[in-house]
Short mmCIF file of all heavy atoms in Angstrom, two decimals:
data_model
loop_
_atom_site.label_atom_id
_atom_site.label_comp_id
_atom_site.label_asym_id
_atom_site.label_seq_id
_atom_site.Cartn_x
_atom_site.Cartn_y
_atom_site.Cartn_z
N SER A 10 212.86 151.65 183.16
CA SER A 10 213.34 152.49 184.26
C SER A 10 214.47 153.32 183.67
O SER A 10 215.33 152.81 182.96
CB SER A 10 213.83 151.62 185.41
OG SER A 10 214.85 150.75 184.97
N ASP A 45 213.20 154.64 191.61
CA ASP A 45 214.51 154.53 192.22
C ASP A 45 215.23 155.86 192.03
O ASP A 45 215.99 156.06 191.10
CB ASP A 45 215.32 153.39 191.56
CG ASP A 45 216.64 153.15 192.26
OD1 ASP A 45 217.10 154.06 192.99
OD2 ASP A 45 217.22 152.08 192.09
N THR A 100 211.62 145.17 211.75
CA THR A 100 213.02 144.76 211.67
C THR A 100 213.85 145.95 211.19
O THR A 100 213.45 146.65 210.25
CB THR A 100 213.19 143.61 210.65
OG1 THR A 100 212.26 142.60 210.96
CG2 THR A 100 214.61 143.07 210.68
N ARG A 102 216.28 148.01 209.23
CA ARG A 102 216.70 147.87 207.84
C ARG A 102 218.20 147.62 207.73
O ARG A 102 219.00 148.33 208.35
CB ARG A 102 216.35 149.14 207.08
CG ARG A 102 216.66 149.04 205.61
CD ARG A 102 216.46 150.40 204.97
NE ARG A 102 216.82 150.33 203.57
CZ ARG A 102 216.89 151.38 202.79
NH1 ARG A 102 216.62 152.58 203.26
NH2 ARG A 102 217.22 151.25 201.53
N ILE A 114 223.20 138.72 197.37
CA ILE A 114 221.89 138.11 197.50
C ILE A 114 221.97 136.61 197.26
O ILE A 114 221.40 135.80 197.99
CB ILE A 114 220.92 138.75 196.50
CG1 ILE A 114 220.56 140.16 196.99
CG2 ILE A 114 219.66 137.92 196.32
CD1 ILE A 114 220.04 141.06 195.93
N ARG A 186 208.81 150.78 201.83
CA ARG A 186 210.04 150.81 202.59
C ARG A 186 209.83 151.56 203.90
O ARG A 186 208.89 152.34 204.03
CB ARG A 186 211.12 151.52 201.77
CG ARG A 186 212.31 150.66 201.49
CD ARG A 186 213.08 151.09 200.29
NE ARG A 186 213.51 152.47 200.29
CZ ARG A 186 214.29 152.98 199.34
NH1 ARG A 186 214.71 152.20 198.35
NH2 ARG A 186 214.64 154.22 199.36
N SER A 187 210.73 151.36 204.84
CA SER A 187 210.54 152.02 206.14
C SER A 187 210.62 153.55 206.03
O SER A 187 210.18 154.27 206.90
CB SER A 187 211.56 151.50 207.16
OG SER A 187 212.85 151.48 206.62
N THR A 217 209.37 135.81 188.07
CA THR A 217 209.10 135.67 189.51
C THR A 217 208.41 136.92 190.07
O THR A 217 207.61 136.81 190.99
CB THR A 217 210.37 135.38 190.33
OG1 THR A 217 211.38 136.31 189.96
CG2 THR A 217 210.85 133.98 190.08
N GLY A 282 213.32 136.55 168.42
CA GLY A 282 212.38 136.07 169.42
C GLY A 282 210.94 136.01 168.95
O GLY A 282 210.04 135.70 169.72
N VAL A 312 220.56 134.84 170.89
CA VAL A 312 221.87 135.48 171.00
C VAL A 312 221.98 136.64 170.01
O VAL A 312 221.65 136.50 168.85
CB VAL A 312 223.00 134.46 170.72
CG1 VAL A 312 224.34 135.15 170.58
CG2 VAL A 312 223.04 133.42 171.83
N LYS A 327 223.47 139.85 160.85
CA LYS A 327 222.17 139.92 160.21
C LYS A 327 221.60 141.33 160.26
O LYS A 327 220.90 141.75 159.34
CB LYS A 327 221.20 138.94 160.87
CG LYS A 327 220.12 138.50 159.92
CD LYS A 327 219.60 137.12 160.28
CE LYS A 327 218.65 136.63 159.20
NZ LYS A 327 218.28 135.23 159.41
N ARG A 380 226.46 148.73 147.09
CA ARG A 380 227.42 148.04 147.96
C ARG A 380 227.56 148.69 149.33
O ARG A 380 228.53 148.47 150.03
CB ARG A 380 228.81 148.05 147.32
CG ARG A 380 228.88 147.24 146.11
CD ARG A 380 229.82 147.75 145.11
NE ARG A 380 229.15 147.53 143.82
CZ ARG A 380 229.53 146.64 142.93
NH1 ARG A 380 230.62 145.98 143.11
NH2 ARG A 380 228.84 146.46 141.84
N ARG A 464 240.32 154.08 138.89
CA ARG A 464 239.37 153.97 140.00
C ARG A 464 239.96 154.61 141.27
O ARG A 464 239.27 155.34 141.99
CB ARG A 464 239.03 152.50 140.27
CG ARG A 464 238.12 152.30 141.48
CD ARG A 464 237.95 150.83 141.82
NE ARG A 464 237.34 150.07 140.72
CZ ARG A 464 236.04 150.11 140.42
NH1 ARG A 464 235.24 150.87 141.11
NH2 ARG A 464 235.58 149.40 139.42
N VAL A 472 237.34 149.61 145.67
CA VAL A 472 236.13 148.90 145.30
C VAL A 472 235.03 149.87 144.91
O VAL A 472 235.06 151.04 145.26
CB VAL A 472 235.62 148.02 146.46
CG1 VAL A 472 236.67 147.02 146.88
CG2 VAL A 472 235.18 148.88 147.63
N MET A 476 233.54 150.47 136.51
CA MET A 476 234.35 151.67 136.30
C MET A 476 233.78 152.58 135.21
O MET A 476 233.93 153.80 135.27
CB MET A 476 235.79 151.24 135.97
CG MET A 476 236.85 152.27 136.27
SD MET A 476 236.63 153.13 137.84
CE MET A 476 237.21 154.75 137.37
P C Z 12 220.85 132.13 168.16
OP1 C Z 12 220.44 132.61 169.49
OP2 C Z 12 220.81 130.69 167.86
"O5'" C Z 12 220.01 132.90 167.05
"C5'" C Z 12 219.85 134.32 167.11
"C4'" C Z 12 218.94 134.76 165.99
"O4'" C Z 12 219.54 134.45 164.72
"C3'" C Z 12 217.62 134.01 165.95
"O3'" C Z 12 216.71 134.55 166.88
"C2'" C Z 12 217.20 134.21 164.50
"O2'" C Z 12 216.69 135.51 164.28
"C1'" C Z 12 218.54 134.07 163.78
N1 C Z 12 218.81 132.68 163.35
C2 C Z 12 218.25 132.24 162.14
O2 C Z 12 217.56 133.03 161.48
N3 C Z 12 218.48 130.97 161.72
C4 C Z 12 219.23 130.16 162.48
N4 C Z 12 219.43 128.91 162.03
C5 C Z 12 219.81 130.58 163.71
C6 C Z 12 219.57 131.83 164.10
P U Z 13 215.59 133.56 167.49
OP1 U Z 13 214.70 134.41 168.28
OP2 U Z 13 216.22 132.38 168.11
"O5'" U Z 13 214.82 133.14 166.16
"C5'" U Z 13 214.19 131.91 166.04
"C4'" U Z 13 213.89 131.69 164.58
"O4'" U Z 13 215.12 131.43 163.87
"C3'" U Z 13 213.05 130.47 164.28
"O3'" U Z 13 211.67 130.78 164.46
"C2'" U Z 13 213.38 130.23 162.82
"O2'" U Z 13 212.70 131.13 161.97
"C1'" U Z 13 214.87 130.54 162.79
N1 U Z 13 215.71 129.35 162.97
C2 U Z 13 215.73 128.44 161.92
O2 U Z 13 215.10 128.62 160.90
N3 U Z 13 216.51 127.33 162.13
C4 U Z 13 217.24 127.04 163.25
O4 U Z 13 217.89 126.00 163.29
C5 U Z 13 217.18 128.02 164.29
C6 U Z 13 216.43 129.12 164.12
P A Z 14 210.68 129.60 164.82
OP1 A Z 14 209.40 130.25 165.14
OP2 A Z 14 211.29 128.67 165.77
"O5'" A Z 14 210.52 128.88 163.40
"C5'" A Z 14 209.94 129.59 162.31
"C4'" A Z 14 209.74 128.68 161.14
"O4'" A Z 14 211.01 128.20 160.67
"C3'" A Z 14 208.97 127.40 161.42
"O3'" A Z 14 207.58 127.67 161.48
"C2'" A Z 14 209.34 126.57 160.20
"O2'" A Z 14 208.59 126.95 159.06
"C1'" A Z 14 210.80 126.97 159.99
N9 A Z 14 211.75 125.97 160.48
C8 A Z 14 212.54 126.01 161.60
N7 A Z 14 213.29 124.94 161.75
C5 A Z 14 212.96 124.14 160.66
C6 A Z 14 213.40 122.88 160.23
N6 A Z 14 214.32 122.16 160.88
N1 A Z 14 212.86 122.37 159.10
C2 A Z 14 211.95 123.09 158.45
N3 A Z 14 211.45 124.29 158.74
C4 A Z 14 212.01 124.76 159.88
P G Z 22 216.72 120.28 154.49
OP1 G Z 22 216.90 119.25 153.46
OP2 G Z 22 217.83 120.60 155.42
"O5'" G Z 22 216.22 121.60 153.81
"C5'" G Z 22 215.08 121.56 152.94
"C4'" G Z 22 214.27 122.82 153.11
"O4'" G Z 22 213.53 122.76 154.37
"C3'" G Z 22 215.08 124.10 153.25
"O3'" G Z 22 215.53 124.60 152.01
"C2'" G Z 22 214.08 125.02 153.93
"O2'" G Z 22 213.09 125.46 153.04
"C1'" G Z 22 213.48 124.05 154.95
N9 G Z 22 214.29 124.06 156.17
C8 G Z 22 215.18 123.10 156.61
N7 G Z 22 215.77 123.44 157.73
C5 G Z 22 215.26 124.69 158.04
C6 G Z 22 215.54 125.56 159.12
O6 G Z 22 216.32 125.38 160.06
N1 G Z 22 214.81 126.74 159.03
C2 G Z 22 213.92 127.04 158.03
N2 G Z 22 213.32 128.23 158.11
N3 G Z 22 213.65 126.25 157.01
C4 G Z 22 214.35 125.09 157.08
P A Z 24 217.97 131.09 151.55
OP1 A Z 24 217.95 131.83 150.27
OP2 A Z 24 218.96 130.02 151.82
"O5'" A Z 24 218.12 132.16 152.74
"C5'" A Z 24 217.31 133.33 152.75
"C4'" A Z 24 217.61 134.13 154.00
"O4'" A Z 24 217.24 133.35 155.17
"C3'" A Z 24 219.08 134.43 154.22
"O3'" A Z 24 219.50 135.55 153.47
"C2'" A Z 24 219.09 134.70 155.72
"O2'" A Z 24 218.55 135.97 156.01
"C1'" A Z 24 218.15 133.63 156.22
N9 A Z 24 218.86 132.39 156.56
C8 A Z 24 218.97 131.22 155.84
N7 A Z 24 219.70 130.30 156.44
C5 A Z 24 220.11 130.91 157.62
C6 A Z 24 220.90 130.45 158.69
N6 A Z 24 221.45 129.25 158.75
N1 A Z 24 221.11 131.31 159.72
C2 A Z 24 220.55 132.53 159.66
N3 A Z 24 219.78 133.07 158.71
C4 A Z 24 219.60 132.19 157.71
P A Z 26 225.83 137.93 154.95
OP1 A Z 26 226.37 139.29 154.80
OP2 A Z 26 225.50 137.12 153.75
"O5'" A Z 26 226.79 137.06 155.87
"C5'" A Z 26 227.36 137.63 157.03
"C4'" A Z 26 228.17 136.60 157.78
"O4'" A Z 26 227.29 135.54 158.25
"C3'" A Z 26 229.22 135.88 156.96
"O3'" A Z 26 230.40 136.64 156.86
"C2'" A Z 26 229.43 134.62 157.80
"O2'" A Z 26 230.22 134.88 158.93
"C1'" A Z 26 228.00 134.31 158.24
N9 A Z 26 227.35 133.40 157.30
C8 A Z 26 226.49 133.70 156.28
N7 A Z 26 226.10 132.65 155.59
C5 A Z 26 226.76 131.59 156.20
C6 A Z 26 226.77 130.21 155.95
N6 A Z 26 226.08 129.64 154.97
N1 A Z 26 227.53 129.42 156.74
C2 A Z 26 228.24 130.00 157.71
N3 A Z 26 228.31 131.29 158.07
C4 A Z 26 227.53 132.04 157.26
P U Z 34 235.88 142.90 132.10
OP1 U Z 34 235.92 143.96 131.07
OP2 U Z 34 236.13 141.49 131.74
"O5'" U Z 34 236.89 143.26 133.27
"C5'" U Z 34 238.28 143.05 133.11
"C4'" U Z 34 239.01 143.86 134.15
"O4'" U Z 34 238.86 145.26 133.80
"C3'" U Z 34 238.41 143.75 135.54
"O3'" U Z 34 239.02 142.69 136.25
"C2'" U Z 34 238.74 145.10 136.16
"O2'" U Z 34 240.07 145.13 136.65
"C1'" U Z 34 238.64 146.04 134.96
N1 U Z 34 237.34 146.70 134.83
C2 U Z 34 236.99 147.62 135.80
O2 U Z 34 237.69 147.85 136.75
N3 U Z 34 235.79 148.22 135.60
C4 U Z 34 234.91 148.03 134.56
O4 U Z 34 233.86 148.66 134.51
C5 U Z 34 235.35 147.06 133.60
C6 U Z 34 236.52 146.46 133.76
P U Z 35 238.22 141.94 137.33
OP1 U Z 35 238.92 140.69 137.61
OP2 U Z 35 236.80 141.92 136.94
"O5'" U Z 35 238.37 142.90 138.59
"C5'" U Z 35 239.63 143.07 139.20
"C4'" U Z 35 239.48 143.98 140.39
"O4'" U Z 35 238.93 145.25 139.96
"C3'" U Z 35 238.47 143.52 141.44
"O3'" U Z 35 239.07 142.58 142.32
"C2'" U Z 35 238.16 144.81 142.16
"O2'" U Z 35 239.18 145.17 143.05
"C1'" U Z 35 238.15 145.81 141.01
N1 U Z 35 236.79 146.10 140.50
C2 U Z 35 236.00 146.91 141.29
O2 U Z 35 236.38 147.36 142.36
N3 U Z 35 234.77 147.18 140.78
C4 U Z 35 234.25 146.74 139.60
O4 U Z 35 233.12 147.08 139.27
C5 U Z 35 235.13 145.89 138.84
C6 U Z 35 236.34 145.60 139.30
P C Z 36 238.20 141.36 142.81
OP1 C Z 36 239.08 140.56 143.66
OP2 C Z 36 237.50 140.73 141.66
"O5'" C Z 36 237.10 142.06 143.72
"C5'" C Z 36 237.50 142.81 144.86
"C4'" C Z 36 236.29 143.49 145.43
"O4'" C Z 36 235.83 144.54 144.54
"C3'" C Z 36 235.07 142.59 145.58
"O3'" C Z 36 235.16 141.88 146.79
"C2'" C Z 36 233.94 143.60 145.59
"O2'" C Z 36 233.80 144.24 146.84
"C1'" C Z 36 234.42 144.63 144.57
N1 C Z 36 233.90 144.39 143.22
C2 C Z 36 232.71 145.04 142.83
O2 C Z 36 232.15 145.78 143.63
N3 C Z 36 232.24 144.85 141.59
C4 C Z 36 232.88 144.03 140.74
N4 C Z 36 232.38 143.87 139.51
C5 C Z 36 234.08 143.35 141.12
C6 C Z 36 234.55 143.56 142.37
P A Z 37 234.19 140.64 147.03
OP1 A Z 37 234.86 139.77 147.99
OP2 A Z 37 233.80 140.13 145.71
"O5'" A Z 37 232.91 141.32 147.71
"C5'" A Z 37 232.42 140.89 148.96
"C4'" A Z 37 231.47 141.94 149.52
"O4'" A Z 37 232.22 143.02 150.10
"C3'" A Z 37 230.54 142.52 148.49
"O3'" A Z 37 229.21 142.44 148.97
"C2'" A Z 37 230.97 143.99 148.39
"O2'" A Z 37 229.89 144.86 148.21
"C1'" A Z 37 231.56 144.21 149.75
N9 A Z 37 232.52 145.32 149.84
C8 A Z 37 233.20 145.98 148.88
N7 A Z 37 233.95 146.96 149.31
C5 A Z 37 233.74 146.92 150.67
C6 A Z 37 234.24 147.69 151.72
N6 A Z 37 235.09 148.67 151.55
N1 A Z 37 233.83 147.40 152.98
C2 A Z 37 232.96 146.39 153.17
N3 A Z 37 232.41 145.59 152.26
C4 A Z 37 232.85 145.92 151.02
P G Z 68 224.92 130.61 181.67
OP1 G Z 68 225.86 131.71 181.44
OP2 G Z 68 225.04 129.78 182.89
"O5'" G Z 68 223.44 131.17 181.64
"C5'" G Z 68 223.02 131.99 180.58
"C4'" G Z 68 221.53 132.20 180.65
"O4'" G Z 68 220.85 130.92 180.64
"C3'" G Z 68 221.02 132.84 181.91
"O3'" G Z 68 221.22 134.24 181.91
"C2'" G Z 68 219.54 132.47 181.84
"O2'" G Z 68 218.88 133.24 180.84
"C1'" G Z 68 219.63 131.03 181.34
N9 G Z 68 219.62 130.09 182.47
C8 G Z 68 220.67 129.34 182.94
N7 G Z 68 220.33 128.58 183.96
C5 G Z 68 218.98 128.85 184.15
C6 G Z 68 218.05 128.33 185.10
O6 G Z 68 218.25 127.50 185.99
N1 G Z 68 216.78 128.88 184.94
C2 G Z 68 216.44 129.81 184.00
N2 G Z 68 215.18 130.22 184.00
N3 G Z 68 217.28 130.29 183.10
C4 G Z 68 218.52 129.78 183.24
P A Z 70 217.80 137.96 186.64
OP1 A Z 70 217.55 139.39 186.44
OP2 A Z 70 219.16 137.47 186.96
"O5'" A Z 70 216.82 137.40 187.76
"C5'" A Z 70 215.46 137.76 187.74
"C4'" A Z 70 214.72 136.95 188.78
"O4'" A Z 70 214.91 135.55 188.50
"C3'" A Z 70 215.23 137.10 190.20
"O3'" A Z 70 214.72 138.26 190.81
"C2'" A Z 70 214.68 135.83 190.84
"O2'" A Z 70 213.30 135.94 191.10
"C1'" A Z 70 214.88 134.82 189.71
N9 A Z 70 216.14 134.08 189.85
C8 A Z 70 217.34 134.29 189.23
N7 A Z 70 218.27 133.43 189.58
C5 A Z 70 217.63 132.61 190.50
C6 A Z 70 218.07 131.50 191.24
N6 A Z 70 219.30 131.00 191.18
N1 A Z 70 217.18 130.90 192.06
C2 A Z 70 215.94 131.39 192.13
N3 A Z 70 215.41 132.42 191.48
C4 A Z 70 216.32 132.99 190.67
P A Z 72 215.86 137.88 198.10
OP1 A Z 72 217.29 137.90 197.75
OP2 A Z 72 215.47 137.23 199.35
"O5'" A Z 72 215.22 139.36 198.21
"C5'" A Z 72 216.09 140.29 198.19
"C4'" A Z 72 215.97 141.46 199.00
"O4'" A Z 72 217.11 142.18 198.54
"C3'" A Z 72 214.72 142.33 198.71
"O3'" A Z 72 214.02 142.85 199.82
"C2'" A Z 72 215.21 143.25 197.55
"O2'" A Z 72 214.76 144.55 197.70
"C1'" A Z 72 216.73 143.20 197.65
N9 A Z 72 217.32 142.96 196.32
C8 A Z 72 217.18 141.90 195.48
N7 A Z 72 217.81 142.03 194.36
C5 A Z 72 218.43 143.26 194.47
C6 A Z 72 219.26 143.98 193.60
N6 A Z 72 219.62 143.54 192.42
N1 A Z 72 219.70 145.18 194.02
C2 A Z 72 219.33 145.62 195.23
N3 A Z 72 218.54 145.02 196.13
C4 A Z 72 218.13 143.84 195.68
P C Z 73 214.45 143.15 201.22
OP1 C Z 73 215.91 143.16 201.18
OP2 C Z 73 213.82 142.47 202.34
"O5'" C Z 73 213.98 144.64 201.27
"C5'" C Z 73 212.93 145.13 200.52
"C4'" C Z 73 213.06 146.63 200.49
"O4'" C Z 73 212.52 147.14 201.73
"C3'" C Z 73 214.52 147.07 200.38
"O3'" C Z 73 214.59 148.05 199.37
"C2'" C Z 73 214.88 147.59 201.80
"O2'" C Z 73 215.59 148.79 201.80
"C1'" C Z 73 213.48 147.89 202.41
N1 C Z 73 213.38 147.59 203.82
C2 C Z 73 213.06 148.67 204.67
O2 C Z 73 212.89 149.78 204.19
N3 C Z 73 212.93 148.45 206.00
C4 C Z 73 213.10 147.24 206.50
N4 C Z 73 212.96 147.09 207.82
C5 C Z 73 213.44 146.13 205.66
C6 C Z 73 213.57 146.35 204.34
P C Z 74 215.38 148.89 198.63
OP1 C Z 74 216.50 149.58 199.24
OP2 C Z 74 214.17 149.62 198.24
"O5'" C Z 74 215.92 148.13 197.35
"C5'" C Z 74 215.05 147.96 196.24
"C4'" C Z 74 215.72 148.57 195.04
"O4'" C Z 74 216.73 147.64 194.58
"C3'" C Z 74 214.82 148.78 193.85
"O3'" C Z 74 214.15 150.02 193.96
"C2'" C Z 74 215.84 148.78 192.73
"O2'" C Z 74 216.52 150.00 192.68
"C1'" C Z 74 216.81 147.68 193.17
N1 C Z 74 216.46 146.35 192.64
C2 C Z 74 216.95 146.01 191.36
O2 C Z 74 217.62 146.83 190.76
N3 C Z 74 216.64 144.80 190.85
C4 C Z 74 215.90 143.94 191.54
N4 C Z 74 215.63 142.77 190.99
C5 C Z 74 215.38 144.27 192.84
C6 C Z 74 215.68 145.47 193.34
P A Z 75 212.65 150.13 193.50
OP1 A Z 75 212.26 151.52 193.80
OP2 A Z 75 211.86 149.00 194.02
"O5'" A Z 75 212.77 149.95 191.93
"C5'" A Z 75 213.42 150.94 191.12
"C4'" A Z 75 213.57 150.36 189.74
"O4'" A Z 75 214.38 149.16 189.81
"C3'" A Z 75 212.28 149.89 189.09
"O3'" A Z 75 211.59 150.95 188.46
"C2'" A Z 75 212.77 148.85 188.11
"O2'" A Z 75 213.31 149.43 186.96
"C1'" A Z 75 213.89 148.19 188.91
N9 A Z 75 213.41 147.03 189.67
C8 A Z 75 212.85 147.02 190.92
N7 A Z 75 212.52 145.81 191.34
C5 A Z 75 212.87 144.99 190.29
C6 A Z 75 212.77 143.60 190.11
N6 A Z 75 212.26 142.76 191.03
N1 A Z 75 213.21 143.07 188.94
C2 A Z 75 213.72 143.91 188.03
N3 A Z 75 213.87 145.24 188.09
C4 A Z 75 213.42 145.72 189.26
#
Side-chain angles (χ1 to χ4, degrees):
Chain A
S10 58
D45 186 340
T100 309
R102 184 188 177 187
I114 287 160
R186 240 156 54 175
S187 48
T217 48
V312 169
K327 206 152 188 172
R380 293 148 219 250
R464 177 187 299 284
V472 302
M476 204 43 216

